[in-house]
Amino acid sequence: MKFKSMLKNIKFGLIAFICMGSSFVALAQKTIKSGTITYAVEFQLPPDQQAMAAMLPSEYKVAFDGEMSKFKLDMGMFSTQVIYNAGTNESLSLTEVPIQSKKIAVKMTSDQTNQMQEMQSGEKDFEVKATSETKKIGVYNCTKYILTDKISGDKTEVWTTNEITIPKNSLTTMVKDVKGFPVAFESSSNGMKVKMNLKQVKEEEVPAITFDVPSDYEVLSFDSMLQMMGGR
């Protein structure tokens, strides 16, 4: 009887271990379909842009629901929302300039979205190399990638995790050709470097995200926006 009792306990222990192991795997590969992502942001500005430092945010927050996401940047003098569809790579920008009483909406196709991203982060051709270096950032185990600019030779570090799966958004699309969800990464443009470190991923319901343009916004074409920005 004692042997049968021991055997029963061993079987129970194995079943519990398997169940716990399965739960761990499910947690380690969790897919989050709706919620918010918050990154802490650190800016490194060139001398001629130091006056902007006080206006820059200390964090970026993205809301997402499936393939749709919304990112808002508030600079005081103006604010911009970027709504992005990860499935089609299309985007919508909604910019408000209170001092000029202007509200401008621009819808962008996939090609136009890529062009805008290149303008913001610079047209760079990177060599991507996965390393064997790992570390824990927050609650996530991460792997290090090295991105080398093929022209300048400048190197950039990207840390990603495979413990969560989240659709791409307008921030993480800047990180290309790496596996996993970006936890810590940086970008640079026009001498300004931006470092982003994941603070929180919160699984929750968010208000519906659509490409609907508010009625009080003026709709501009992509080409008209580039002319206003001096891009053409």
Side-chain angles (χ1 to χ4, degrees):
M1 290 295 294
K2 184 179 290 188
F3 176 76
K4 286 183 178 181
S5 177
M6 289 175 59
L7 187 60
K8 182 178 180 181
N9 288 337
I10 292 172
K11 285 182 178 179
F12 177 80
L14 286 172
I15 292 171
F17 176 79
I18 291 169
C19 291
M20 288 174 64
S22 299
S23 298
F24 176 78
V25 171
L27 177 64
Q29 299 176 342
K30 185 174 184 179
T31 297
I32 302 177
K33 296 181 179 180
S34 177
T36 56
I37 309 164
T38 305
Y39 285 96
V41 187
E42 178 185 343
F43 295 87
Q44 294 180 3
L45 304 175
D48 61 340
Q49 297 181 28
Q50 289 296 322
M52 293 175 52
M55 297 187 297
L56 296 174
S58 59
E59 65 179 32
Y60 286 160
K61 191 170 185 178
V62 181
F64 64 96
D65 183 15
E67 295 180 330
M68 299 295 293
S69 64
K70 180 168 66 174
F71 164 66
K72 184 174 182 179
L73 175 63
D74 192 343
M75 296 286 287
M77 296 177 64
F78 72 92
S79 64
T80 298
Q81 295 182 66
V82 179
I83 298 168
Y84 177 71
N85 186 322
T88 65
N89 197 45
E90 296 172 308
S91 58
L92 166 67
S93 71
L94 300 171
T95 301
E96 184 174 357
V97 188
I99 196 170
Q100 296 181 2
S101 299
K102 283 191 174 183
K103 294 183 178 182
I104 298 169
V106 180
K107 287 186 175 182
M108 288 172 270
T109 64
S110 176
D111 289 341
Q112 291 168 344
T113 297
N114 288 337
Q115 186 176 345
M116 178 57 65
Q117 289 173 352
E118 288 176 354
M119 289 177 59
Q120 292 172 339
S121 60
E123 297 183 23
K124 298 179 180 179
D125 186 11
F126 287 104
E127 176 187 355
V128 180
K129 181 182 178 182
T131 74
S132 57
E133 188 174 346
T134 60
K135 71 175 179 180
K136 195 162 189 176
I137 302 178
V139 298
Y140 300 110
N141 294 304
C142 301
T143 300
K144 179 180 175 181
Y145 285 80
I146 298 292
L147 279 60
T148 305
D149 189 317
K150 292 182 180 179
I151 297 176
S152 67
D154 292 340
K155 297 182 183 297
T156 301
E157 291 185 7
V158 177
W159 292 86
T160 70
T161 183
N162 290 314
E163 294 182 346
I164 52 173
T165 300
I166 296 174
K168 286 188 175 182
N169 57 67
S170 56
L171 287 182
T172 57
T173 50
M174 294 187 294
V175 183
K176 303 180 185 297
D177 302 322
V178 299
K179 294 181 179 180
F181 176 73
V183 173
F185 60 100
E186 59 186 45
S187 66
S188 60
S189 179
N190 300 320
M192 180 173 70
K193 183 177 289 187
V194 184
K195 291 185 177 182
M196 284 171 267
N197 288 279
L198 185 66
K199 288 179 65 175
Q200 182 186 52
V201 176
K202 188 174 181 180
E203 187 174 15
E204 60 183 345
E205 289 188 10
V206 299
I209 303 171
T210 71
F211 276 158
D212 295 339
V213 178
S215 59
D216 56 343
Y217 274 72
E218 176 188 1
V219 179
L220 290 183
S221 69
F222 181 71
D223 288 342
S224 297
M225 182 189 68
L226 288 183
Q227 290 175 0
M228 290 178 62
M229 295 173 60
R232 281 192 178 180

